């Protein structure tokens, strides 16, 4: 190859690889079959994002008007406004993370110097960047753990591939367990489970984007449980409207909730459950729907 290329580490569900190299032709990602990298996940649009090359040997990321957006180093980028990538930058679309590891230089046909790699990703274990899939005739990577006498045993190398292919998904889950604890990309069922650690009401019928937003603020909400500010914020996150909380009596308060303005299918019963879970045990309340 006589062109500069970019190496990305990929993490996310149902992947058959954990790294990809992007050349000058770029890379388009989405659910549609016409993409270079097809990721069939409900949080991705048909054409979600693309990585493109610029003639000054810079790579850029662009949001292709996706529904759920593209996040670049924890900030959502505007649609159709390419952002320049530097080594170590992280792109997120849905539950998938793309980490820009390094540029691959054509002069030597190899990667950037080791000191550059160490500066960019000091905590990255290069063993994790090996493709998860194997082609026929390859040896299992487990051979390196056996005595040297077995190093050239082709049958054993291929035989171990059977067990390696079975255990690789489990190993990937263990190595990337932190992804399951991230409010941004954790499976939906895990959101309710994590909310239970804080004894926080998180109903499954709530839209998933609001569930994730609640989990992002779970620490703040937990510290303010039983306060007007905490209850007000929870009602805002659930119903998308600004409630009013009036403390006009001792151990009694009034909640005025403009449910007619809410763009939500949640009803008064949900509001009562939410208030009951957040209010102090000794306090009573009145819920007024406007």
């Amino acid at each position: 190859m006589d062109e500069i290329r970019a190496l990305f580490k990929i993490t996310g569900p149902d992947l058959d690889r954990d790294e990809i190299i992007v050349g000058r032709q770029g890379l388009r990602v989405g659910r549609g079959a016409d993409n270079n990298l097809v990721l069939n996940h409900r949080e991705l649009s048909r054409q979600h994002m693309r990585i493109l090359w610029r003639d000054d040997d810079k790579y850029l990321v662009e949001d292709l008007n996706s529904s759920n957006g593209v996040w670049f180093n924890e900030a959502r980028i505007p649609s159709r406004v390419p952002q320049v990538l530097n080594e170590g930058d992280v792109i997120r679309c849905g539950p998938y993370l793309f980490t820009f590891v390094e540029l691959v230089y054509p002069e030597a046909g190899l990667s950037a110097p080791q000191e550059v790699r160490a500066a960019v990703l000091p905590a990255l274990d290069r063993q994790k960047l090996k493709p998860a899939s194997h082609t026929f005739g390859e040896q299992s990577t487990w051979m390196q753990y056996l005595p040297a006498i077995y190093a050239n045993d082709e049958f054993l190398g291929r035989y171990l591939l059977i067990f390696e292919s079975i255990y690789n998904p489990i190993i990937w889950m263990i190595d990337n367990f932190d992804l399951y604890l991230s409010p941004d990309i954790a499976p939906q069922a895990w959101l309710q489970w994590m909310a239970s650690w804080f004894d926080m009401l998180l109903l499954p019928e709530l839209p998933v984007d609001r569930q994730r937003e609640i989990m992002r603020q779970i620490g703040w909400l937990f510290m303010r449980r039983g306060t007007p500010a905490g209850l007000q914020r929870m009602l805002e996150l659930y119903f998308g409207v600004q409630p009013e909380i009036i403390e006009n009596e001792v151990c009694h308060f009034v909640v005025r909730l403009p449910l007619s303005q809410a763009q939500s299918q949640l009803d008064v019963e949900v509001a009562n459950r939410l208030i009951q879970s957040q209010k102090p045990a000794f306090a009573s309340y009145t819920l007024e729907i406007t």
Side-chain angles (χ1 to χ4, degrees):
M1 298 291 292
D2 59 351
E3 65 178 41
I4 194 168
R5 294 166 292 163
L7 173 65
F8 289 85
K9 177 181 181 287
I10 313 175
T11 58
D14 302 323
L15 291 173
D16 61 354
R17 69 188 78 179
D18 52 16
E19 68 174 11
I20 192 168
I21 292 181
V22 182
R24 291 183 179 179
Q25 74 279 5
L27 178 76
R28 191 169 63 246
V29 180
R31 287 191 292 113
D34 56 338
N35 293 285
N36 308 113
L37 180 60
V38 178
L39 299 175
N40 190 17
H41 194 278
R42 67 177 184 275
E43 292 187 26
L44 267 64
S45 301
R46 192 177 67 83
Q47 291 187 345
H48 198 98
M49 75 164 190
R50 67 171 177 167
I51 297 172
L52 58 153
W53 173 81
R54 202 168 63 183
D55 56 9
D56 59 353
D57 285 336
K58 291 287 187 181
Y59 281 84
L60 304 92
V61 60
E62 181 182 9
D63 184 350
L64 300 176
N65 294 324
S66 63
S67 300
N68 292 325
V70 175
W71 299 78
F72 178 50
N73 292 336
E74 300 303 324
R76 184 169 180 171
I77 62 175
S79 296
R80 297 292 181 180
V81 181
Q83 307 291 318
V84 177
L85 291 168
N86 295 301
E87 292 175 338
D89 286 341
V90 179
I91 306 164
R92 176 170 63 82
C93 56
Y96 300 94
L97 296 179
F98 294 74
T99 302
F100 183 17
V101 179
E102 62 186 347
L103 293 174
V104 180
Y105 296 94
E107 292 80 7
L110 298 172
S111 305
Q114 181 65 33
E115 57 270 19
V116 175
R117 300 167 68 89
V120 174
L121 294 175
L124 185 61
D125 181 3
R126 289 299 299 167
Q127 282 297 111
K128 295 180 182 178
L129 293 181
K130 294 183 178 179
S133 59
H134 299 274
T135 58
F136 184 78
E138 286 187 350
Q139 285 193 339
S140 168
T141 59
W142 291 5
M143 293 289 286
Q144 63 185 306
Y145 303 113
L146 297 180
I149 191 173
Y150 299 108
N152 297 318
D153 190 326
E154 182 180 352
F155 170 77
L156 183 59
R158 291 166 56 187
Y159 181 68
L160 287 177
L161 280 177
I162 300 172
F163 301 96
E164 187 174 358
S165 65
I166 294 171
Y167 283 101
N168 262 348
I170 302 174
I171 294 171
W172 183 94
M173 183 181 296
I174 294 172
D175 286 347
N176 299 278
F177 187 72
D178 58 303
L179 300 179
Y180 288 82
L181 304 180
S182 169
D184 295 320
I185 57 178
Q188 186 173 355
W190 283 55
L191 297 175
Q192 285 91 42
W193 179 52
M194 289 190 290
S196 69
W197 301 351
F198 300 87
D199 193 26
M200 190 69 68
L201 180 65
L202 192 65
L203 299 179
E205 55 265 32
L206 194 66
V208 66
D209 58 332
R210 290 194 183 176
Q211 292 185 41
R212 296 190 188 281
E213 186 59 35
I214 290 172
M215 290 308 300
R216 291 188 195 102
Q217 302 181 37
I218 195 73
W220 188 94
L221 292 168
F222 181 75
M223 294 296 292
R224 290 161 180 80
R225 186 169 186 172
T227 68
L231 176 59
Q232 184 177 35
R233 184 58 183 147
M234 279 293 288
L235 290 170
E236 288 177 6
L237 290 169
Y238 260 79
F239 295 95
V241 294
Q242 179 75 34
E244 184 181 2
I245 298 178
I246 305 169
E247 296 179 284
N248 54 359
E249 298 179 28
V250 177
C251 298
H252 184 84
F253 62 94
V254 176
V255 178
R256 290 177 181 166
L257 184 64
L259 205 55
S260 59
Q261 304 174 19
Q263 302 294 321
S264 172
Q265 302 299 318
L266 303 177
D267 55 17
V268 178
E269 181 184 354
V270 173
N272 277 309
R273 289 182 61 187
L274 194 61
I275 297 171
Q276 288 283 354
S277 70
Q278 291 293 306
K279 76 176 185 66
F282 57 82
S284 61
Y285 72 94
T286 301
L287 175 60
E288 297 181 357
I289 303 298
T290 59

